[in-house]
Amino acid sequence: MKLRTKSWLAVTATAGLVLGGVSPALAAGTAGPTEHTDMGVSGDAVMEHLQKISDISTSHADEGHRALGTPGYEEAVEYVESTLEATGAFDVKRQAFDVESQDFGTVDVKVDGEAVKVATASYTEGTTEPLTDLPVVLPVDDDNSDLAGGQLGCQASDFDASAEGALVLVSRGECAFGEKTKAATEAGAAAVIIYNNDKDNPDEELNATLGERMEGSAPTVTVTYNVGTDLLEKVEAAGAEAGTEAGSQTDAEAGLGQGADETEEAADDDAAAEAAALTADFTLETEFVTETTWNVIAETKAGDHDNVQMFGAHLDGVEEGPGVNDNGSGTAALLASAEALAEQPTEVDNAIRFGWWGAEEVGLVGSTEYVASLDDAELGKIKSYMNFDMIGSDNYIVGTLDSDGSDVPIPDGVNVPEGSAELEKIFTDYFADIDQPNVGTDFSGRSDYQAFIDNGIPASGLFSGADGTKTAEEAEMFGGTVGEKHDTNYHQPTDTIENVSKESIDIFAPAIGFAVHTLAYELADAPTDPPTDPTTPPTDPTDPPTETPTEAPDERALSIDPKTIEAPDFVSEKGVQVAATGCAADTTATMTVTPNNGKIETFEQTAEVGADGTARFGVRGLDASMVDSYIGTYDVTVDCEGGDPLTGSFEVVAEGDGPGAGDGGNGGGGGDLPRTGNEALPLILSAGALIALGLAMTLGSRRRRS
């Protein structure tokens, strides 16, 4: 797929790019792409990496698959590193950081003497000793059937005095799990049960994280929708029964001659006692431990390292399953894109940085730690971030992170940095050009782009769906089953490679490759060859040969003009001209310039050999702000058909130390190169005009790969 789309974040060529982060670049000779492509990134390429990640995860099934602190995660890190290092195009590093994780001992919850199947929330505190005979109570709400309002328990004010020392039962929804625990703790609760709100999947376990440890907070567990609503009904029934019994007892006591005030006080006491009829025993043993884990960061060796475009995916999974879709799929897509980028014929304009995050499943820790490790200067170099978390859901949607809020309103409090909508447009334009339906999905910050947008870095990404439910409209667009989750295997043992949608992978893979290419390259204008005059009559083969024999080709030689040039002239329109004579006509010549000052990279430039056997080149520096960095000698080699390579050199000297351009730097020897047409023809002419004149020079800072 090829599209002619201008990269909105590209740096202009005339600004001059910096290679290696320290050196000004030379104007290299091979033009960059004239249109953006998906670089050939395919679903098959992604699936190859995904199979390797699946194999790693399943081989460590008894050790927690690819979860935090497991051997499976470390092996996955090593696989990512070795894949990237094999390309030779990236600087790869492993960033270590510490994560507080926890081990669980006995977890036992009984309500009214019956065991309740619960899951522990990540970062929950434990009980110091078993809690017994806890009243089971609800938040204050006049309707506990709508999964809204007070029953969500998002604020301490959602509870009344009955929460003091009780086990409170709250519904999932609206606020983060950690906010529910915090609110219940502030209300005095001894423990918390959060039940799932997914009516369509009523037996689905709820995997919750509190985001971070909150010492002294109420121990928190989760249950399914069915278990939760069953407990809800029992609490309501117990309360109703307690109220009836309290009323009967009050009437009897009032008949024995109690005063009205005494009767009311006795009724309140009795009602409170009877409300505790439904009680629970609660034990949760846990120990917090510190784990060292890693992010993997890889950045292109080429490109402007002050203009970094970043792409990320989390590499870890949950203990329950192999995590092939979540998020082996995003990981594999970035690996395939990195390999494709390394194979491009020209080096990138903007540095591309990939990040594979650890500890995402326990609270976005890896990406948050990475962003926190950067100072303001380094953060300022990152111009965009693209996130890919799940792209192979079995009941998939084709979702873009809706950073412009056109499909899904932006939640209150979420920062949307300027430029995020333009990033999303890369995907929506791509999908529009291939007639692929797509929808916007929540731009809520609840994935690894959170830390980036919090620090003002524009973000977008793609998403095939997790625990959301497929609508009829989505099924019309993408197929699949209405009413089922987008990923029916989310956080389950069944998140295997067999259950990944290859159809979804085939859609997302080239889109990701296209986005990488779009942000990596500034498009060059396609050269326009001079039109052939159709009116020119063909040569008559019967004409007698001319009396004057064809001139012999010029002697094989290399001419460099000037051979000594002052640095300010080298970064101006003057530059250095190189001509190789004695080459075979209508072939391609290659010039290699090797700087000897240790500051500039070697680069190559190609040119077509004219009918006169001459290939012409132009060389100049791009960055006038670093003019002195160009000072030094440069070896020049031109390789063309017709004989051995031709060699020579030129020198860039400080201002005032040279003879000036035009005399060859050697008092007129060495064969000055006559300029074509105007003697003062500037090398800044358009690329098309230069090519028409037989010169092969581009104004961008791009070097063909060797």
Side-chain angles (χ1 to χ4, degrees):
M1 175 68 191
K2 295 183 177 182
L3 299 176
R4 171 71 180 179
T5 305
K6 188 70 174 177
S7 170
W8 71 278
L9 288 173
V11 175
T12 59
T14 54
L17 302 180
V18 178
L19 299 179
V22 295
S23 305
L26 293 171
T30 302
T34 58
E35 56 193 355
H36 290 306
T37 79
D38 59 24
M39 303 188 295
V41 178
S42 66
D44 288 342
V46 173
M47 291 300 292
E48 286 185 19
H49 289 297
L50 194 53
Q51 183 66 62
K52 297 288 182 60
I53 293 167
S54 172
D55 292 345
I56 290 170
S57 298
T58 55
S59 69
H60 293 282
D62 295 337
E63 301 169 290
H65 295 95
R66 218 172 58 251
L68 169 67
T70 63
Y73 181 73
E74 184 169 7
E75 188 174 340
V77 166
E78 292 168 351
Y79 174 70
V80 169
E81 289 173 329
S82 63
T83 300
L84 296 165
E85 288 166 351
T87 69
F90 299 93
D91 290 321
V92 184
K93 68 178 181 180
R94 186 187 299 197
Q95 180 194 23
F97 59 95
D98 291 334
V99 183
E100 193 170 48
S101 64
Q102 60 189 135
D103 296 327
F104 290 97
T106 300
V107 179
D108 183 47
V109 179
K110 291 185 175 69
V111 175
D112 213 17
E114 296 183 5
V116 178
K117 184 180 179 182
V118 300
T120 53
S122 297
Y123 294 111
T124 180
E125 293 293 296
T127 55
T128 55
E129 59 184 10
L131 305 176
T132 59
D133 296 326
L134 298 177
V136 184
V137 304
L138 304 174
V140 178
D141 197 331
D142 57 3
D143 181 5
N144 286 317
S145 65
D146 59 359
L147 299 174
Q151 74 182 109
L152 301 177
C154 290
Q155 303 176 53
S157 59
D158 290 334
F159 301 91
D160 61 15
S162 67
E164 182 72 34
L167 169 61
V168 299
L169 178 68
V170 301
S171 171
R172 179 187 189 181
E174 188 173 305
C175 59
F177 299 117
E179 294 177 62
K180 297 177 187 292
T181 297
K182 182 175 182 291
T185 302
E186 291 175 352
V192 181
I193 294 178
I194 303 173
Y195 59 95
N196 208 342
N197 60 357
D198 190 350
K199 295 180 180 180
D200 296 318
N201 298 278
D203 294 315
E204 188 72 41
E205 290 186 359
L206 176 57
N207 295 301
T209 177
L210 305 187
E212 61 183 359
R213 184 180 182 183
M214 297 182 288
E215 294 189 50
S217 62
T220 302
V221 296
T222 66
V223 296
T224 67
Y225 174 82
N226 273 342
V227 171
T229 53
D230 181 57
L231 290 174
L232 173 66
E233 291 171 0
K234 288 181 178 180
V235 175
E236 290 180 322
E241 181 179 351
T244 300
E245 293 180 0
S248 299
Q249 184 175 1
T250 299
D251 291 342
E253 291 173 346
L256 293 175
Q258 289 177 305
D261 290 342
E262 294 173 312
T263 301
E264 183 178 350
E265 182 179 350
D268 288 342
D269 291 341
D270 290 341
E274 292 296 340
L278 191 70
T279 60
D281 298 330
F282 192 105
T283 300
L284 195 163
E285 296 176 349
T286 187
E287 177 186 11
F288 284 87
V289 295
T290 299
E291 300 274 6
T292 298
T293 190
W294 311 275
N295 296 322
V296 180
I297 309 297
E299 185 163 338
T300 53
K301 294 179 180 179
D304 183 356
H305 297 276
D306 289 327
N307 196 52
V308 175
Q309 318 297 331
M310 192 160 188
F311 297 79
H314 76 86
L315 179 57
D316 66 317
V318 296
E319 290 187 4
E320 289 79 5
V324 177
N325 185 39
D326 183 19
N327 182 37
S329 61
T331 287
L334 290 193
L335 287 174
S337 297
E339 288 181 321
L341 186 64
E343 293 299 319
Q344 295 306 293
T346 55
E347 291 186 340
V348 296
D349 292 313
N350 306 316
I352 298 297
R353 185 180 300 169
F354 293 103
W356 285 266
W357 311 120
E360 186 270 354
E361 296 289 4
V362 295
L364 313 179
V365 181
S367 55
T368 302
E369 286 285 334
Y370 173 73
V371 173
S373 73
L374 303 176
D375 60 25
D376 289 345
E378 288 301 314
L379 278 173
K381 295 177 181 178
I382 303 176
K383 306 305 181 184
S384 68
Y385 175 74
M386 294 283 211
N387 195 66
F388 305 100
D389 188 355
M390 304 171 63
I391 63 164
S393 305
D394 58 337
N395 198 26
Y396 72 89
I397 58 172
V398 179
T400 64
L401 292 183
D402 192 20
S403 50
D404 63 1
S406 58
D407 289 343
V408 183
I410 304 295
D412 292 340
V414 174
N415 183 42
V416 184
E418 185 177 356
S420 297
E422 287 84 353
L423 286 174
E424 183 191 6
K425 194 171 185 294
I426 292 174
F427 294 119
T428 55
D429 284 354
Y430 170 83
F431 289 135
D433 282 328
I434 62 173
D435 297 322
Q436 171 60 56
N438 58 95
V439 295
T441 61
D442 289 348
F443 192 87
S444 61
R446 293 184 178 178
S447 191
D448 284 307
Y449 62 96
Q450 174 78 66
F452 291 89
I453 62 175
D454 284 349
N455 284 273
I457 297 170
S460 189
L462 296 176
F463 179 52
S464 61
D467 55 354
T469 302
K470 175 156 284 187
T471 65
E473 182 182 7
E474 290 170 348
E476 181 71 22
M477 298 171 73
F478 312 113
T481 305
V482 176
E484 292 285 338
K485 287 188 175 182
H486 294 134
D487 182 2
T488 64
N489 307 291
Y490 179 58
H491 283 187
Q492 301 299 313
T494 51
D495 186 5
T496 63
I497 197 158
E498 291 80 13
N499 289 327
V500 164
S501 169
K502 176 60 161 50
E503 182 177 283
S504 179
I505 297 285
D506 285 341
I507 294 170
F508 282 93
I512 294 172
F514 180 82
V516 172
H517 192 276
T518 298
L519 296 183
Y521 288 101
E522 180 193 4
L523 295 181
D525 292 328
T528 303
D529 293 330
T532 302
D533 185 357
T535 63
T536 302
T539 303
D540 185 351
T542 62
D543 289 344
T546 58
E547 296 182 1
T548 305
T550 302
E551 294 183 4
D554 291 341
E555 180 183 355
R556 192 170 177 82
L558 184 68
S559 177
I560 300 174
D561 178 40
K563 288 189 173 180
T564 302
I565 185 171
E566 294 183 7
D569 290 336
F570 187 59
V571 297
S572 73
E573 297 178 0
K574 296 180 180 179
V576 172
Q577 291 192 38
V578 177
T581 57
C583 302
D586 300 323
T587 60
T588 300
T590 300
M591 176 182 70
T592 302
V593 178
T594 305
N596 295 315
N597 62 2
K599 299 179 180 179
I600 312 298
E601 290 188 15
T602 297
F603 72 96
E604 290 182 355
Q605 187 177 4
T606 59
E608 296 301 314
V609 180
D612 62 352
T614 301
R616 296 180 173 86
F617 305 86
V619 185
R620 67 180 178 90
L622 283 180
D623 194 341
S625 68
M626 302 180 70
V627 62
D628 289 342
S629 297
Y630 292 103
I631 293 173
T633 60
Y634 296 76
D635 293 331
V636 179
T637 300
V638 176
D639 193 0
C640 63
E641 294 184 22
D644 295 332
L646 301 167
T647 60
S649 65
F650 65 89
E651 183 178 11
V652 179
V653 298
E655 186 174 11
D657 290 348
D663 65 358
N666 60 355
D672 291 350
L673 184 68
R675 298 189 183 274
T676 305
N678 189 327
E679 287 294 320
L681 175 69
L683 297 183
I684 199 65
L685 286 175
S686 70
L690 291 170
I691 290 172
L693 292 170
L695 298 173
M697 172 182 172
T698 62
L699 303 183
S701 147
R702 193 176 282 114
R703 179 165 63 90
R704 177 173 291 278
R705 300 183 188 279
S706 57

